[in-house]
């Protein structure tokens, strides 16, 4: 176990902060390819508490904060030919919020001596008397709510129909098919910015019905079966998700396997298969080609033997049997029990940087609520298209790629992340050409765009909301890059 210490300016005082590297903070699996080891939080907490007590007892040092990290996670410097922990580098990363800590314990009550006190001598600003005075001052003030949308009725702009009457996205799609048969529903943009063959609402319904029939008769799925959807960013992925909805299966979207990262991706896939008892894996042509390659096949088989997991068959849904009928004509409708509260129809899977998995199940009610919040928060309308580009397997990326076009009755354009990686300007050109009002991006996308100097020449006067999502603190350079792109100066009166 190694440690470092430095002072940080907190509330007018310079207070000591202790950094500890210990093997107890590691989540590396005990066996190769096995599940990550769970952190012993009570032990880490007691270790931090013990450090505080010893330093105070031996050196009369009041510690403000103890931070525990993985071994060799702290920045190093070379001193006298040896690599030692750099205290000033640690302080710099602490101030920037970039220290990779797995457990943090504060000792504010014993370290900070100049906390403000109020008029009463019995406890300061958080005492009963101070609380009563605050309540008396703020009694007539309007309450502030964050993250709660109390608007019960959401209207469709075209027909003035309340969207709350639809219990699931599939019924809403059928309503769109009946009223906007020949309008564009979804279209892919290639690497040169050219439109592919667009799909109208009628064709959209027929393609979903084709995949659903393929699942019922070829894959032999039953309502409640769990299916892994491993697709590249494509129209086939959207069709497969809605096909799972209409046959009552639980869809688990996952990113395709990376051949350069099989040591991580293969165990992650196999653990999902084992934990959710996955019946089949649905793929398109690109992923089917990857899964049939010999290195990938052998690696999956070897890992499956070690983990004692039976790998289900994978099925390519890129070319299902053609259908001239839609879902409703074939009797593919949502059953009442599928829309019951608590009934899962979708699972979002996310892996933290230390390879811990977080899985969230969603029902039809949650899916519709997410669409409602997105529509009302960004004031999205059917007059502006929706753009899907990255992270279409979960979160906002999934909502924009798969759901919002149907919810808004707007066309959805798809830009491949692979094309964006090769030419970031393609995204900004698409935003400008189709006058996209709301878009979703990640900090990695913005960093890549800055590296390639993309977006500066694009006229994005119509872009109102650019939602940039990151896993840590937002960096200033991303904000400086984003504001000139959006060009807020052109709409100061909005």
């Amino acid at each position: 176990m190694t440690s470092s210490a430095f002072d940080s300016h907190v509330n007018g005082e310079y207070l000591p902060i202790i950094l500890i590297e210990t093997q107890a903070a590691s989540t590396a699996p005990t066996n190769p390819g096995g599940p990550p080891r769970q952190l012993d939080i009570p032990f880490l907490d007691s270790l931090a508490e013990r450090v505080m007590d010893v330093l105070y007892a031996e050196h009369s040092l009041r510690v403000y904060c103890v931070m525990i990290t993985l071994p060799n996670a702290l920045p190093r410097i070379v001193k006298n030919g040896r690599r030692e922990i750099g205290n000033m580098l640690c302080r710099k990363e602490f101030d920037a919020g970039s220290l990779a800590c797995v457990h943090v314990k504060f000792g504010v009550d014993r370290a900070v001596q100049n906390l403000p006190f109020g008029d009463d001598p019995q406890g300061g600003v958080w005492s009963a008397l101070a609380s009563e005075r605050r309540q008396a001052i703020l009694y007539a003030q309007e309450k502030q709510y964050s993250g709660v949308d109390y608007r019960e009725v959401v209207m469709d702009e075209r027909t003035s129909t309340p969207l709350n009457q639809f219990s699931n996205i599939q019924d809403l799609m059928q309503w769109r098919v009946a009223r906007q048969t020949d309008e564009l529903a979804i279209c892919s943009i290639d690497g040169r910015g050219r439109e592919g063959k667009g799909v109208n609402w009628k064709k959209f319904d027929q393609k979903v019905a084709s995949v659903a029939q393929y699942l019922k008769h070829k894959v032999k799925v039953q309502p409640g079966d769990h299916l892994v959807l491993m697709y590249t960013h494509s129209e086939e992925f959207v069709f497969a998700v809605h096909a799972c909805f209409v046959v009552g299966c639980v869809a688990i979207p996952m990113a395709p396997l990376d051949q350069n990262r099989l040591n991580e991706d293969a165990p992650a896939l196999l653990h999902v298969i084992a934990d959710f008892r996955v019946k089949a894996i649905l793929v398109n042509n690109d992923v089917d080609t990857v899964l049939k390659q010999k290195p990938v096949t052998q690696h999956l088989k070897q890992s499956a033997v070690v983990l004692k997991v039976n790998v289900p068959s994978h099925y390519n849904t890129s070319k299902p049997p053609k259908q001239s009928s839609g879902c409703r004509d074939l009797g593919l409708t949502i059953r009442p029990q599928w829309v019951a509260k608590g009934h899962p129809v979708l699972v979002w899977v996310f892996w933290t940087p230390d390879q811990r998995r977080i899985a969230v199940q969603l029902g039809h009610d949650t899916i519709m609520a997410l669409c409602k919040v997105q529509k009302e928060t960004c004031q999205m309308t059917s007059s502006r298209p929706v753009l899907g580009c990255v992270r279409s397997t979960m979160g906002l990326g999934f909502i924009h790629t798969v759901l919002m076009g149907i919810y808004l009755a707007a066309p959805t354009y798809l830009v491949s992340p692979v094309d964006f990686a090769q030419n970031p300007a393609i995204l900004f050109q698409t935003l400008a050409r189709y006058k996209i009002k709301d878009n979703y991006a990640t900090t990695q996308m913005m960093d890549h765009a800055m590296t390639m100097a993309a977006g500066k020449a694009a006229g994005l006067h119509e872009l109102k909301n650019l939602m940039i999502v990151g896993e840590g603190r937002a960096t200033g350079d991303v904000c400086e890059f984003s504001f000139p792109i959006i060009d807020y100066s052109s709409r100061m009166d909005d």
Side-chain angles (χ1 to χ4, degrees):
M1 184 171 68
T2 56
S3 63
S4 174
F6 59 89
D7 290 339
S8 181
H9 191 267
V10 180
N11 203 40
E13 294 185 61
Y14 283 94
L15 300 174
I17 296 174
I18 307 299
L19 303 177
I20 300 175
E21 289 183 345
T22 173
Q23 190 63 35
S26 175
T27 59
T30 306
N31 299 320
R37 188 173 56 189
Q38 298 298 317
L39 292 175
D40 189 351
I41 300 300
F43 173 75
L44 296 177
D45 195 69
S46 64
L47 177 62
E49 185 71 28
R50 178 64 176 163
V51 168
M52 291 182 176
D53 294 340
V54 170
L55 288 175
Y56 181 72
E58 298 293 333
H59 304 284
S60 299
L61 184 64
R62 299 177 181 271
V63 178
Y64 169 69
C65 176
V66 175
M67 310 178 75
I68 301 176
T69 70
L70 297 169
N72 301 315
L74 298 177
R76 256 63 175 182
I77 60 173
V78 178
K79 185 176 182 180
N80 298 328
R82 297 175 56 186
R83 288 178 55 82
E84 298 181 359
I85 298 176
N87 290 345
M88 295 308 296
L89 294 178
C90 291
R91 178 178 178 179
K92 182 178 180 181
E93 292 196 11
F94 172 81
D95 293 336
S98 57
L99 283 175
C101 298
V102 299
H103 188 74
V104 180
K105 185 173 182 62
F106 289 93
V108 179
D109 53 341
R110 70 178 82 183
V112 180
Q113 302 296 312
N114 60 348
L115 289 177
F117 279 77
D119 298 334
D120 61 295
Q122 299 179 355
V125 295
W126 304 116
S127 66
L129 178 59
S131 298
E132 291 177 3
R133 290 184 177 179
R134 277 194 300 273
Q135 290 177 2
I137 295 173
L138 300 175
Y139 179 76
Q141 298 295 323
E142 183 180 356
K143 292 183 178 180
Q144 176 179 339
Y145 296 95
S146 299
V148 181
D149 190 353
Y150 288 101
R151 284 170 287 194
E152 296 294 336
V153 179
V154 181
M155 304 300 293
D156 181 67
E157 294 83 10
R158 293 193 177 190
T159 60
S160 298
T161 302
L163 298 177
N164 304 75
Q165 68 182 12
F166 297 98
S167 61
N168 59 85
I169 197 71
Q170 184 60 216
D171 289 349
L172 180 55
M173 188 187 82
Q174 294 300 322
W175 194 69
R176 301 294 187 202
V177 171
R179 286 159 178 77
Q180 301 162 217
T181 304
D182 298 323
E183 294 185 17
L184 179 65
I186 190 169
C187 181
S188 296
I189 308 296
D190 64 14
R192 297 183 179 181
R194 298 175 301 186
E195 291 187 13
K197 187 177 181 181
V199 178
N200 60 28
W201 289 101
K202 182 179 180 180
K203 283 284 187 182
F204 188 101
D205 185 32
Q206 291 175 356
K207 288 182 177 293
V208 172
S210 299
V211 178
Q213 290 290 87
Y214 179 81
L215 296 180
K216 291 183 66 175
H217 298 109
K218 178 68 175 179
V219 189
K220 305 293 184 182
V221 299
Q222 298 294 327
D225 287 342
H226 290 69
L227 304 177
V228 166
L229 276 59
M230 190 171 287
Y231 290 78
T232 55
H233 191 75
S234 59
E235 298 173 5
E236 290 91 350
F237 171 66
V238 180
F239 302 148
V241 171
H242 290 283
C244 290
F245 289 165
V246 297
V247 298
C249 293
V250 181
I252 309 177
M254 292 183 64
L257 294 177
D258 188 343
Q259 300 178 64
N260 301 320
R261 208 174 51 192
L262 285 176
N263 290 333
E264 296 179 6
D265 288 359
L269 172 62
L270 294 174
H271 282 298
V272 169
I273 291 173
D275 293 345
F276 292 97
R277 299 178 182 178
V278 173
K279 182 172 183 178
I281 303 174
L282 306 184
V283 299
N284 59 356
N285 287 330
D286 295 333
V287 180
D288 187 37
T289 302
V290 173
L291 292 180
K292 288 182 179 179
Q293 292 181 358
K294 191 173 182 180
V296 177
T297 304
Q298 289 181 344
H299 196 285
L300 282 175
K301 287 182 178 179
Q302 293 171 359
S303 300
V305 171
V306 174
L307 298 176
K308 298 179 181 179
V309 176
N310 293 323
V311 181
S313 302
H314 67 273
Y315 298 88
N316 189 348
T317 64
S318 296
K319 292 184 179 180
K322 291 185 179 180
Q323 281 286 345
S324 58
S325 302
C327 293
R328 185 158 293 178
D329 297 333
L330 297 172
L332 298 170
T333 57
I334 304 294
R335 299 178 187 175
Q337 59 267 30
W338 298 348
V339 297
K341 191 172 183 179
H343 183 86
V345 297
L346 178 67
V347 175
W348 283 344
V349 183
F350 171 74
W351 281 270
T352 61
D354 57 353
Q355 290 301 303
R356 284 186 290 175
R357 188 185 69 209
I358 300 174
V360 181
Q361 71 175 27
L362 294 84
H364 281 296
D365 56 337
T366 307
I367 291 173
M368 296 299 287
L370 290 173
C371 293
K372 182 194 80 167
V373 171
Q374 185 69 195
K375 179 183 187 305
E376 293 299 319
T377 301
C378 296
Q379 293 296 299
M380 301 174 75
T381 64
S382 60
S383 61
R384 296 295 184 87
V386 180
L387 178 65
C389 183
V390 294
R391 294 191 183 177
S392 57
T393 58
M394 58 172 291
L396 281 175
F398 181 90
I399 294 173
H400 280 233
T401 302
V402 180
L403 304 174
M404 287 311 298
I406 298 174
Y407 197 83
L408 299 172
T412 301
Y413 291 96
L414 302 180
V415 174
S416 171
V418 177
D419 294 334
F420 173 81
Q422 296 175 351
N423 179 22
I426 188 65
L427 174 65
F428 304 106
Q429 292 172 5
T430 305
L431 291 172
R433 180 186 305 166
Y434 298 103
K435 299 181 179 180
I436 306 294
K437 187 176 77 71
D438 311 282
N439 189 38
Y440 162 77
T442 64
T443 52
Q444 291 88 343
M445 289 177 63
M446 295 295 102
D447 291 337
H448 182 58
M450 284 188 286
T451 304
M452 304 292 287
K456 297 296 183 181
L460 302 180
H461 305 291
E462 302 292 338
L463 185 63
K464 302 292 184 181
N465 302 298
L466 179 60
M467 295 164 279
I468 304 176
V469 178
E471 297 175 0
R473 293 186 182 181
T475 56
D477 52 353
V478 170
C479 298
E480 293 174 2
F481 175 71
S482 303
F483 280 109
I485 286 182
I486 303 174
D487 192 9
Y488 285 92
S489 61
S490 64
R491 41 189 173 83
M492 293 295 290
D493 298 332
D494 285 2

